[in-house]
Amino acid sequence: MNLALAVLVDGVVYSSWLFLIAAGLTLIYGVMKILNMAHGSFYAIGAYSGASLIGVYFAGGNPPWASYLLLVGAALVAGLIVGLLIERGFLRFMYGRDEVVMILVTYGILLILEDAIKLLWGVDPYFAYQPYTLLGRTKIGGLSFANYDFMLICVTAFVALVLWWSLNRTRSGKILQSVIHDREIAGALGVNVTKIFTITFVIGAFLGAFAGALTAPGISVVPGIGIEVIILAFAVVVIGGLGSVGGAFVGALIVGLSRALSVHLYPDGELFVIYGVMGLVLAFRPQGLFAIAGARKI
Amino acid sequence: MLKTISKMAVYGAVAFGALTATAQAAEDYKLGLVTFLSGGAAGPFGVPAKNGADLLIDALNAGTVPAPYDKIGINGVKINPVYVDEAGGATKQVSEYRNLVERQGVNAVVGYISSGDCLAVPGVAEEMKKVTVLFDCGTPRVFEEADYKYVFRTAATATMDNVGAARYIAEKVGNLASVSGINQNYSFGHDSWNDFTTSLEKIKAGVDVATKQFPKIYAGQYGAEVSALMVNPAEVVHSSFWGGDMEAFLLQGAARGLFEDQQVLLTCGESALYKFADNFPEGAIVGARGPNGVFAPKSALNDWFVKEYEARYGTKPTYPVYHMVQAIMGLKLATEKAATNAGEIPTDEAVAGAFEYLEYDSPAGKIAMTNGNGHQAVQEMVFGQVSKENGEVVMKDVVRYAPSCVNPPNGVKAADWIASGFEGAVCN
């Protein structure tokens, strides 16, 4: 009983974290057809911004509960600034290039941002543990879980719901979907594709930074954290189907639960299981679980 | 006329070659220093080690280090450091090493934290006949699998950490019936766990392994691993985690009460003892990969070193700093021993000869190059438990193990020595 419960809770917590990171990545790909390697840097910048602000905030003896708002604010500002700078400063000059070229461009941006992070924050770790412990813990079936992790599940569910609602039930979402389906036709029908690109990229950057800021309280924020997560995020969006937000949700669940199962039953396979699942999915559905195979334009 | 000029050129070249092959009188001593300046190992190890090197080199050049290090620079020649970032993997480090020797013309190289780099670089160091001091990596394989003339390691191997850890918990943890492990999924993590469990089998038979976890290095998220440790409780959780991984594990484990029921043993724990002091669980068993930092024996040299380091960097030195400093000190003493005149830089061959079986004092106490046929240091090993007094971390139940108690004898492989039940070990 303990084991099944542990696998379920651990799997869902890990999936929530993965989805938060992967959502922005898959959104950007869906709309802009850019596999954004720099997404890991958005995560890292969000984590560093959150940790720095939390450190200053608690050093000032401020009321602890407001620190959660600070994390959201840090992600919002970081995502907005970095997203706008990269989209307006680099990517808009590259639109229309081959997808492979865009991967190289965003990889270059990733390297620049990694060095920028090192210049700005140095190599020493940053800690923002207060919000993580503030919520206490809950005992379920004899096992204690951090309430912060349950909050993370709720936040992820909320983000998934907002994304689904915005994409499927609002006018802006439908415009966005028209760009996802065919940017040329959407442009011909009067949709301002460039503006949609900018907005999408900033939202994607915010989601990456938001994942980083929410993760910061439970980790040590150190150089290189962005590179580690981007590999996992790629696995998730590939399983779900590139560009599909719903696919990323299911992909995150599959990866999270598989990993938890492996940790509890066969720890030596933990490293393999994520990529094993990805290989298995791709063997049967090369386009991922939820992506619709389309004819390539020549 | 042409013949005469050709002859003069040949004689000149031979004379120049002979001069460079033998002792040199030089304006500065170029020292290649390789340590992580970026990536996940930079914060806990690489940059503190660089800070230690900067401090020591400045003090040596100014002649302000206490005896026997009071001669300026190295044998009267001021040291000029050339830094290289260790990030990028073993293949890159081999190229960087060649650059240091061939293009930068360094007199010696001190470096390497990663065991992978420590296994890759000695081959090229031998080929280039350049004195190279490995300062921090832990794998015992370096001198177990090959003999080197120009390569030395002035810190003990990671074997000592885990033999010492097993001895410590057998002695200090009452009712020890089971242990668990959480170690990074790479050679250091696996070797540490294997050395620890095989040692424990020999020291205290019948101790079960409740669970062993090997998450990916830099994973950062340990929720499932913490649950696995809680579902299979043990008296002690062994971990060779370091840096961000160790800190994240401590944060996530503490938030769920893991360390209230199980005692955590961190073989590299001292590296985060000061900056992460608030979050170290009471009673955590901590090692410092030797008698370093909080475990350093009292001496005038260590008092000077700690005071200078704290004044310059605002924090106490941790074990990577000690490892770096004792490597440079060993190189200095070996070079000065090999030199016949002040201001002379002896040949690499002479320095290598002088370095073999060298014994010297460092801020971490005595360094004895007795293993690896005189190329591998042994030191004593120390473990203690974290206690907090007035918000300050202090160590209690500190136990020191003599070098011969936690290191194999010269010429014996670590795994064989452990399997033999520590044959020849002499403990306190």
Side-chain angles (χ1 to χ4, degrees):
Chain A
M1 174 56 196
N2 260 3
L3 183 66
L5 178 83
V7 169
L8 184 69
V9 177
D10 293 336
V12 173
V13 169
Y14 196 75
S15 305
S16 307
W17 174 70
L18 279 179
F19 175 74
L20 270 185
I21 303 163
L25 184 70
T26 205
L27 184 71
I28 289 172
Y29 182 83
V31 176
M32 304 168 75
K33 294 291 177 283
I34 295 172
L35 196 53
N36 181 25
M37 296 287 287
H39 196 71
S41 299
F42 300 156
Y43 171 88
I45 288 168
Y48 271 106
S49 305
S52 307
L53 281 177
I54 290 292
V56 173
Y57 184 78
F58 278 94
N62 294 301
W65 295 101
S67 61
Y68 299 101
L69 292 176
L70 209 61
L71 289 172
V72 181
L76 198 62
V77 173
L80 192 73
I81 293 172
V82 180
L84 268 177
L85 270 176
I86 290 170
E87 200 279 331
R88 291 286 85 194
F90 289 93
L91 297 182
R92 73 186 170 112
F93 303 110
M94 312 296 292
Y95 290 146
R97 305 284 175 97
D98 193 83
E99 280 181 37
V100 178
V101 174
M102 296 310 281
I103 290 176
L104 292 176
V105 169
T106 56
Y107 181 63
I109 294 169
L110 166 92
L111 296 179
I112 293 168
L113 288 178
E114 283 300 306
D115 269 358
I117 289 169
K118 206 174 92 176
L119 282 172
L120 210 56
W121 281 285
V123 295
D124 279 338
Y126 280 73
F127 304 112
Y129 56 86
Q130 295 90 342
Y132 193 70
T133 49
L134 196 60
L135 296 176
R137 56 183 184 241
T138 302
K139 208 161 193 169
I140 308 172
L143 281 180
S144 291
F145 294 95
N147 288 339
Y148 187 90
D149 290 336
F150 292 124
M151 187 193 78
L152 192 71
I153 296 173
C154 297
V155 170
T156 303
F158 178 73
V159 168
L161 204 67
V162 168
L163 276 176
W164 178 85
W165 174 264
S166 308
L167 283 171
N168 297 292
R169 294 285 184 272
T170 64
R171 186 171 174 274
S172 312
K174 282 174 182 163
I175 292 171
L176 204 69
Q177 295 227 31
S178 73
V179 177
I180 291 172
H181 285 297
D182 197 316
R183 72 175 77 165
E184 286 167 17
I185 297 291
L189 291 171
V191 174
N192 186 343
V193 175
T194 310
K195 190 175 155 192
I196 294 285
F197 277 10
T198 307
I199 292 169
T200 305
F201 196 81
V202 170
I203 291 171
F206 162 70
L207 286 171
F210 187 49
L214 286 190
T215 309
I219 62 167
S220 166
V221 182
V222 289
I225 54 169
I227 292 170
E228 293 306 314
V229 299
I230 193 68
I231 301 163
L232 280 172
F234 276 140
V236 166
V237 298
V238 165
I239 289 170
L242 280 164
S244 164
V245 175
F249 189 82
V250 175
L253 266 178
I254 292 171
V255 168
L257 290 170
S258 310
R259 184 183 178 274
L261 205 61
S262 171
V263 166
H264 284 277
L265 298 180
Y266 182 59
D268 289 344
E270 180 266 341
L271 195 60
F272 166 78
V273 75
I274 296 170
Y275 305 103
V277 167
M278 187 174 84
L280 203 65
V281 169
L282 293 184
F284 292 99
R285 279 187 65 87
Q287 72 276 23
L289 290 175
F290 289 86
I292 301 157
R296 179 182 284 182
K297 289 179 187 173
I298 300 171
Chain B
M1 181 65 184
L2 267 175
K3 268 189 178 175
T4 314
I5 292 171
S6 305
K7 270 185 184 173
M8 282 174 70
V10 170
Y11 291 145
V14 170
F16 179 74
L19 269 175
T20 50
T22 56
Q24 300 169 15
E27 285 181 4
D28 65 353
Y29 185 102
K30 264 194 170 181
L31 179 59
L33 288 161
V34 190
T35 178
F36 282 100
L37 303 176
S38 62
F45 302 144
V47 171
K50 179 184 178 293
N51 290 344
D54 285 341
L55 182 144
L56 183 66
I57 289 168
D58 287 351
L60 286 173
N61 286 343
T64 56
V65 184
Y69 304 98
D70 46 354
K71 195 184 269 187
I72 282 179
I74 291 181
N75 198 33
V77 183
K78 289 198 173 178
I79 304 166
N80 175 15
V82 181
Y83 285 102
V84 170
D85 187 356
E86 197 183 335
T91 310
K92 178 175 171 264
Q93 287 316 312
V94 168
S95 305
E96 293 283 9
Y97 184 92
R98 286 187 186 281
N99 281 343
L100 273 175
V101 177
E102 288 176 340
R103 295 169 68 178
Q104 299 276 358
V106 295
N107 295 98
V109 176
V110 170
Y112 309 107
I113 291 167
S114 154
S115 290
D117 295 339
C118 280
L119 288 168
V121 164
V124 68
E126 288 293 293
E127 179 198 321
M128 307 190 86
K129 298 182 172 28
K130 182 56 61 188
V131 169
T132 299
V133 187
L134 312 174
F135 85 97
D136 188 64
C137 53
T139 178
R141 288 170 50 203
V142 178
F143 296 103
E144 285 182 350
E145 294 176 355
D147 282 325
Y148 298 109
K149 184 175 177 183
Y150 297 94
V151 182
F152 298 85
R153 177 163 50 188
T154 48
T157 67
T159 301
M160 165 172 108
D161 306 346
N162 296 290
V163 173
R167 289 195 187 282
Y168 186 87
I169 63 164
E171 186 182 336
K172 289 286 176 185
V173 178
N175 304 320
L176 180 66
S178 59
V179 292
S180 292
I182 178 163
N183 292 279
Q184 290 145 321
N185 196 355
Y186 78 121
S187 59
F188 182 70
H190 282 278
D191 290 349
S192 294
W193 174 248
N194 288 338
D195 285 350
F196 173 71
T197 48
T198 49
S199 297
L200 196 57
E201 270 172 32
K202 297 292 174 186
I203 296 163
K204 188 165 181 158
V207 177
D208 291 329
V209 172
T211 182
K212 53 176 181 171
Q213 298 292 326
F214 290 102
K216 182 177 171 291
I217 187 170
Y218 304 138
Q221 298 289 331
Y222 303 106
E225 284 83 356
V226 169
S227 291
L229 292 168
M230 293 173 102
V231 169
N232 308 283
E235 280 72 42
V236 173
V237 179
H238 167 276
S239 182
S240 58
F241 270 16
W242 49 264
D245 287 0
M246 177 174 68
E247 290 146 7
F249 172 62
L250 289 180
L251 278 173
Q252 292 164 29
R256 296 177 59 182
L258 174 67
F259 309 122
E260 290 163 18
D261 303 322
Q262 302 180 49
Q263 197 167 10
V264 66
L265 187 167
L266 302 159
T267 57
C268 301
E270 186 267 351
S271 58
L273 204 54
Y274 305 114
K275 63 189 171 199
F276 201 58
D278 292 350
N279 293 287
F280 256 90
E282 184 83 22
I285 301 165
V286 165
R289 299 220 46 235
N292 305 304
V294 71
F295 298 125
K298 175 90 179 146
S299 71
L301 187 58
N302 188 49
D303 289 347
W304 168 84
F305 173 59
V306 172
K307 189 179 158 206
E308 292 291 317
Y309 193 91
E310 256 191 298
R312 184 154 166 174
Y313 300 110
T315 181
K316 287 187 166 67
T318 50
Y319 80 73
V321 187
Y322 279 77
H323 282 174
M324 173 60 90
V325 163
Q326 69 202 35
I328 297 173
M329 285 177 165
L331 177 67
K332 174 183 164 68
L333 289 184
T335 309
E336 288 171 359
K337 189 178 157 193
T340 45
N341 299 308
E344 167 204 334
I345 299 174
T347 62
D348 287 277
E349 194 165 8
V351 175
F355 216 142
E356 282 185 358
Y357 296 101
L358 189 70
E359 285 196 12
Y360 61 99
D361 289 319
S362 77
K366 189 196 241 183
I367 310 291
M369 304 293 293
T370 57
N371 279 18
N373 297 323
H375 289 245
Q376 168 63 57
V378 296
Q379 291 177 269
E380 64 171 356
M381 186 61 208
V382 193
F383 277 95
Q385 295 181 38
V386 169
S387 181
K388 289 174 188 169
E389 286 175 10
N390 306 319
E392 292 281 309
V393 169
V394 291
M395 302 310 295
K396 64 174 187 183
D397 289 332
V398 173
V399 179
R400 311 184 86 86
Y401 297 98
S404 55
C405 184
V406 287
N407 290 283
N410 185 23
V412 179
K413 285 187 176 180
D416 296 342
W417 180 62
I418 295 170
S420 75
F422 314 105
E423 206 174 299
V426 181
C427 292
N428 310 33

